[in-house]
Amino acid sequence: MTASYAYSQPSRVSAGARERVARAAAELGYAGPDPSARSLRRGRTSSLGVVLGEHLAYAFDDPQASAFLGGVAEVCGERGYAMTILPTTGDAHDTERIRIAAVDGFVVWTTVDDDPVLDAIRRLHLPAVVHSGPAVEGLGLVGINNRKAARAIGALAFQGSRRPAVLSFPLDRARVADVSPGRKPTAAAFPVTRDRLLGFRDAARRTGHPWSAMTVAVCGHNQRAEAEQVTSRLLATDRPDAIAAMSDELAAGAITALRAAGLRVPDDCAVTGWDDAPVAADLGLTTVAQSMRDQGAQCATAVLDRKLTSLPEPPWSLRERSSTRRGAPA
Amino acid sequence: MTASYAYSQPSRVSAGARERVARAAAELGYAGPDPSARSLRRGRTSSLGVVLGEHLAYAFDDPQASAFLGGVAEVCGERGYAMTILPTTGDAHDTERIRIAAVDGFVVWTTVDDDPVLDAIRRLHLPAVVHSGPAVEGLGLVGINNRKAARAIGALAFQGSRRPAVLSFPLDRARVADVSPGRKPTAAAFPVTRDRLLGFRDAARRTGHPWSAMTVAVCGHNQRAEAEQVTSRLLATDRPDAIAAMSDELAAGAITALRAAGLRVPDDCAVTGWDDAPVAADLGLTTVAQSMRDQGAQCATAVLDRKLTSLPEPPWSLRERSSTRRGAPA
DNA sequence: CTGTTAGCGCTTTCAT
DNA sequence: ATGAAAGCGCTAACAG
């Protein structure tokens, strides 16, 4: 029965025939072409794979990740694509999960340098873009220049400070929370963490602070509650008068901890965030503004259009508010 | 070449043969079985479809929807399933999008009674669960008894009040924001909205407030900013001394608006939320506690196990905090 | 405008 | 432990 046309190319079939096909289908309980068979034959699945880090659950808790997914979703919706979320757990099955995914391409949410998933994707020869790194031969890369942005926001955070500190994303997949000084930026396995540490180091040096004395407080997850705890620990061992955080979430947690300790922002301690999420406006946070939503859309577009090279760097800017000291010279 | 075993059932192949297969594959650039072909042959896709409302983008902005997705994702991850997000836009193509989705079952995020997507799913004869309604013949249903819970939280909200009001989710897909009294609960096309309105009406009647006098302020989306605006409008026309909101997000927006108007919570106006999200603790909000994450997991489990009937009602409880008057008789 | 043909790549009997 | 054969359901190319 070559009534397949009635579904795939209705225009190529007379109205009468279409009618008869529809009636026969209803009678037989036929619901339309089988998606797998169609994919096999057509050679495409009309679904975009999105690979999220090992704590998939957290991806939905993280407002930045959610905004990013929203951007991807928007593009998928417009183009009639579905969006296949690929849960990776950090175990050995991850590469297999990637391999068996019926998708036409991948968007990878920022991960560590040696994530085996990256290699698995490369082997599939499907278009793929990594958000924020790591850079992988053959895959696209979308993200801002984190080092440069960190240098810029760091300058605002550290101005007029005597004892600056950094509140950091996790260094690697172990996601250990830890407070210690002079941590080597290059030890970080997440490119985002590494680049921002490098930028903060640049900023610190320019304001006369040797990196060896800089306390780096590391959070295991981009979560406010954890940032609050870690900051409390930081305050117990150190007395920072400026904290540059890698996200608004972390900064929000820091502010809660500072207030609990009876410290004022920015008088006793300046704080900067990153992302310009809604919470940044609420808290008057000086921050790096960037649109994760736009970046998600950019990633999806790049993959679906197979334009993986020379992707433009997304825009970012400094948003100066009341959580930092104004114009005081270093 | 029947070396297919090397991939699908490695145990049934000698180590030597496996080795040879691997080498040949590497040489030919063969990356492993094609997922579509495998799905076609096996008759299953190893992906679970998740249908989100028309504003897919908002799903990721809504903390409750995100938590729900996190729960679904968790179960999918455990079972080696991918999760296919199906963007529906409210247009005529939605049913087609559902139909061509290569998935083994569906989880549907709460929608309106007459959503054509529900019928499309039913026709596919795949296991499906709807979260929070509407109830559909043949599909599973997971969700709390919203009317009962609304009656309970409404009692706390309205106690000691002279002029109560309700801050509501949208009534239908038009998502019109609006402030008006005595709105008929049964006019709401979203079962969640309808049931909660019914429960609030029950609570109002019990505390001696005729529903016809009750102002219902409707928000188009579950967003704090919109709730703030709508509440401001409510305050301009009315002087409520109690507001029962359908979510913590809406309640948070209401509190912002109340404070901006110089009103104290709960002295000038009591406020209740719904969900017990983190923001509820921050604001000391009296609320209905339920775990959207657990409910997401329950939906996914039910679909993957094909256990669609007699699903247990998820637990919920009242969490009384400082945003309501204490024990004052009505 | 409609019908026929071939084959997408795999897995699963069944037979060796 | 391995090989052969059949067919999952569809669509694109071609012929009528």
Side-chain angles (χ1 to χ4, degrees):
Chain A
M1 190 67 174
T2 315
S4 159
Y5 285 127
Y7 290 94
S8 47
Q9 298 173 47
S11 53
R12 286 191 48 157
V13 166
S14 74
R18 226 179 307 158
E19 173 71 20
R20 269 181 298 137
V21 168
R23 196 160 30 229
E27 215 161 295
L28 298 166
Y30 176 78
D34 177 272
S36 297
R38 167 174 274 184
S39 295
L40 174 59
R41 183 61 236 240
R42 286 195 167 161
R44 63 192 168 81
T45 62
S46 294
S47 187
L48 175 64
V50 182
V51 182
L52 298 175
E54 64 268 35
H55 290 273
L56 173 57
Y58 293 123
F60 295 103
D61 296 338
D62 181 342
Q64 289 310 110
S66 287
F68 180 82
L69 290 173
V72 174
E74 190 167 48
V75 172
C76 286
E78 281 166 6
R79 307 207 180 189
Y81 262 72
M83 192 176 145
T84 297
I85 306 272
L86 297 165
T88 67
T89 62
D91 65 27
H93 297 300
D94 283 350
T95 56
E96 184 63 10
R97 289 201 184 87
I98 298 298
R99 237 224 49 238
I100 65 171
V103 298
D104 295 337
F106 295 91
V107 171
V108 183
W109 176 249
T110 183
T111 183
V112 291
D113 293 312
D114 59 350
D115 192 333
V117 157
L118 295 167
D119 226 61
I121 289 175
R122 236 183 16 167
R123 279 197 295 270
L124 293 175
H125 301 292
L126 288 172
V129 167
V130 180
H131 180 259
S132 282
V136 177
E137 173 72 30
L139 310 192
L141 180 64
V142 165
I144 67 171
N145 185 327
N146 279 295
R147 181 168 186 170
K148 210 164 144 189
R151 209 180 288 149
I153 187 79
L156 293 181
F158 301 153
Q159 68 189 338
S161 153
R162 306 192 162 277
R163 187 139 192 79
V166 167
L167 188 57
S168 172
F169 283 156
L171 303 176
D172 52 43
R173 299 176 97 173
R175 294 178 179 269
V176 200
D178 172 59
V179 178
S180 62
R183 188 173 285 287
K184 246 193 148 106
T186 48
F190 279 106
V192 171
T193 306
R194 184 172 59 235
D195 291 342
R196 293 189 188 176
L197 284 178
L198 284 168
F200 287 144
R201 188 178 66 180
D202 295 341
R205 285 181 176 161
R206 286 192 190 175
T207 47
H209 299 286
W211 185 251
S212 56
M214 174 81 81
T215 303
V216 177
V218 178
C219 297
H221 303 272
N222 183 23
Q223 286 172 352
R224 205 178 302 198
E226 189 177 350
E228 189 181 335
Q229 286 183 353
V230 170
T231 304
S232 299
R233 232 191 298 166
L234 170 65
L235 295 176
T237 60
D238 206 349
R239 264 293 167 214
D241 61 359
I243 298 177
M246 288 197 191
S247 77
D248 294 334
E249 281 293 298
L250 297 186
I255 288 177
T256 307
L258 287 166
R259 285 188 184 148
L263 299 171
R264 292 159 308 165
V265 175
D267 310 79
D268 298 317
C269 187
V271 176
T272 59
W274 195 301
D275 291 328
D276 200 23
V279 68
D282 293 347
L283 294 173
L285 211 49
T286 294
T287 191
V288 175
Q290 64 172 334
S291 169
M292 290 313 265
R293 182 181 192 81
D294 290 351
Q295 290 179 34
Q298 190 190 350
C299 288
T301 305
V303 171
L304 296 181
D305 291 345
R306 296 174 165 266
K307 292 244 189 314
L308 306 180
T309 51
S310 61
L311 295 167
E313 188 187 322
W316 61 272
S317 62
L318 293 179
R319 179 89 74 237
E320 198 168 358
R321 295 202 182 87
S322 57
S323 69
T324 42
R325 300 178 184 93
R326 284 224 158 236
Chain B
M1 190 67 175
T2 315
S4 160
Y5 287 126
Y7 290 95
S8 47
Q9 299 172 46
S11 54
R12 287 190 48 157
V13 165
S14 73
R18 225 181 307 159
E19 172 70 21
R20 268 181 299 135
V21 168
R23 196 159 33 228
E27 215 160 296
L28 297 166
Y30 176 78
D34 177 273
S36 297
R38 165 174 275 183
S39 295
L40 174 58
R41 184 60 233 248
R42 287 197 167 158
R44 63 192 168 80
T45 62
S46 294
S47 188
L48 175 64
V50 182
V51 182
L52 298 175
E54 64 268 36
H55 292 273
L56 174 58
Y58 293 123
F60 294 103
D61 295 339
D62 182 342
Q64 289 310 111
S66 287
F68 180 82
L69 291 173
V72 174
E74 190 167 47
V75 171
C76 286
E78 280 166 6
R79 307 206 180 191
Y81 261 72
M83 194 176 145
T84 297
I85 306 273
L86 297 165
T88 68
T89 61
D91 66 26
H93 297 300
D94 283 349
T95 57
E96 183 63 8
R97 290 201 184 87
I98 297 298
R99 236 223 48 239
I100 65 170
V103 297
D104 295 335
F106 294 92
V107 171
V108 183
W109 176 247
T110 184
T111 182
V112 291
D113 291 313
D114 60 349
D115 191 334
V117 157
L118 295 168
D119 227 60
I121 289 175
R122 235 183 18 167
R123 280 196 296 270
L124 293 175
H125 300 293
L126 288 173
V129 167
V130 181
H131 180 258
S132 281
V136 177
E137 174 72 31
L139 310 193
L141 180 64
V142 165
I144 67 171
N145 184 326
N146 278 295
R147 182 167 187 172
K148 210 164 144 188
R151 210 180 286 147
I153 187 80
L156 293 182
F158 302 153
Q159 67 189 338
S161 154
R162 306 190 160 279
R163 186 134 193 82
V166 167
L167 188 57
S168 173
F169 284 156
L171 303 176
D172 53 43
R173 298 176 98 170
R175 293 180 179 269
V176 201
D178 173 59
V179 178
S180 62
R183 186 173 285 285
K184 244 195 152 108
T186 48
F190 279 106
V192 171
T193 306
R194 184 172 59 235
D195 292 342
R196 294 190 187 175
L197 284 178
L198 285 169
F200 287 143
R201 188 178 66 180
D202 295 340
R205 285 181 176 163
R206 288 191 190 175
T207 48
H209 299 285
W211 185 252
S212 57
M214 173 82 80
T215 304
V216 177
V218 178
C219 298
H221 302 272
N222 183 24
Q223 286 171 353
R224 205 179 301 197
E226 189 176 349
E228 189 181 335
Q229 285 182 354
V230 170
T231 304
S232 299
R233 230 190 301 167
L234 170 66
L235 294 176
T237 60
D238 206 350
R239 265 293 166 210
D241 61 0
I243 298 177
M246 288 199 192
S247 76
D248 294 333
E249 281 294 296
L250 298 186
I255 287 177
T256 307
L258 288 167
R259 285 190 184 147
L263 299 170
R264 291 158 309 163
V265 175
D267 310 79
D268 298 318
C269 186
V271 176
T272 61
W274 195 303
D275 291 328
D276 199 24
V279 68
D282 293 347
L283 295 172
L285 211 49
T286 294
T287 191
V288 175
Q290 64 172 333
S291 169
M292 291 311 267
R293 181 180 193 82
D294 291 351
Q295 290 179 35
Q298 190 190 350
C299 288
T301 305
V303 171
L304 296 182
D305 291 346
R306 296 173 164 265
K307 293 244 189 310
L308 306 180
T309 51
S310 62
L311 294 168
E313 189 187 322
W316 61 271
S317 62
L318 293 179
R319 178 91 73 239
E320 199 167 357
R321 294 202 182 87
S322 58
S323 70
T324 43
R325 300 179 185 92
R326 284 224 158 238

